Amino acid sequence: MHKMPEPDAPVAQQPGGDEWEDGSQEPEFKPLTREEAQQWRANQLEISIWRLVGVQVLVGLAAGSLGWLFTQRTSVAWSVLYGSAAVVVPSALMAYGLTSSALSRLFAGFAQAAFAGFLLWEGVKILLAVAMMWLAPNVVSELSWLGLLIGLVLTLKVYWFGFFIQTRRSNVNG
């Protein structure tokens, strides 16, 4: 049972008057100057969304080839490739929508509109991925669900791999 603190028990206090039960202090927030913000931005590595889509394509092709190599069944290879395509095609459409569409150029200078555009394209991406998965049994003859799942998961992991590489680079450079 949780015991309530005694009313007369001393409580650690921060100089600003905020009370903390564990006695720790919240670090002060110091906004960056314009020059510091520009320097911080210059030090951040950018990952191209199109490079990410390209790596997804390569991972999907490699996974499909390995699926065929290990099983000697074309249905497994096509299933893996289709699972990969269920990630790559929606990602490529979203990349186009965020970088090259007329809508993205229209909203380029407005942060809230750009965020709304991101949400729109993310929704389109999810709906297309779900539709492709729903259509999988009709598109791939002798569908291997395990192969489809493997292609899907391996291609999705490209995002994490890109994130890992970016954090490793920024830790080495920083």
Side-chain angles (χ1 to χ4, degrees), residues 48-66:
S48 165
I49 193 167
W50 288 109
R51 180 174 293 168
L52 210 59
V53 171
V55 172
Q56 285 180 329
V57 168
L58 292 176
V59 166
L61 291 172
S65 299
L66 288 173

Side-chain angles (χ1 to χ4, degrees), residues 40-48 165-173:
W40 181 83
R41 282 189 197 112
N43 290 336
Q44 299 303 307
L45 297 173
E46 289 187 30
I47 293 181
S48 165
I165 294 296
Q166 183 178 9
T167 56
R168 294 275 302 179
R169 285 182 182 169
S170 60
N171 287 340
V172 169
N173 294 337

Side-chain angles (χ1 to χ4, degrees), residues 78-79 82-83 85-86 89-90 126-145 148:
W78 283 115
S79 298
Y82 191 84
V89 172
I126 290 169
L127 288 174
L128 181 56
V130 169
M132 287 182 72
M133 296 297 289
W134 184 68
L135 291 170
N138 299 328
V139 174
V140 180
S141 61
E142 298 179 39
L143 179 68
S144 165
W145 285 103
L148 181 120

Side-chain angles (χ1 to χ4, degrees), residues 1-94:
M1 209 167 169
H2 184 63
K3 182 179 174 186
M4 295 296 292
E6 301 274 331
D8 297 334
V11 177
Q13 242 184 335
Q14 217 177 352
D18 296 326
E19 298 178 354
W20 299 93
E21 287 186 26
D22 63 356
S24 67
Q25 292 183 348
E26 183 177 318
E28 287 190 37
F29 175 76
K30 179 185 169 269
L32 298 176
T33 65
R34 182 182 182 101
E35 293 78 25
E36 289 172 332
Q38 288 173 341
Q39 182 182 9
W40 181 83
R41 282 189 197 112
N43 290 336
Q44 299 303 307
L45 297 173
E46 289 187 30
I47 293 181
S48 165
I49 193 167
W50 288 109
R51 180 174 293 168
L52 210 59
V53 171
V55 172
Q56 285 180 329
V57 168
L58 292 176
V59 166
L61 291 172
S65 299
L66 288 173
W68 180 82
L69 191 63
F70 288 135
T71 64
Q72 297 293 313
R73 293 179 44 209
T74 56
S75 63
V76 171
W78 283 115
S79 298
V80 172
L81 288 171
Y82 191 84
S84 179
V87 175
V88 171
V89 172
S91 294
L93 181 63
M94 183 177 176

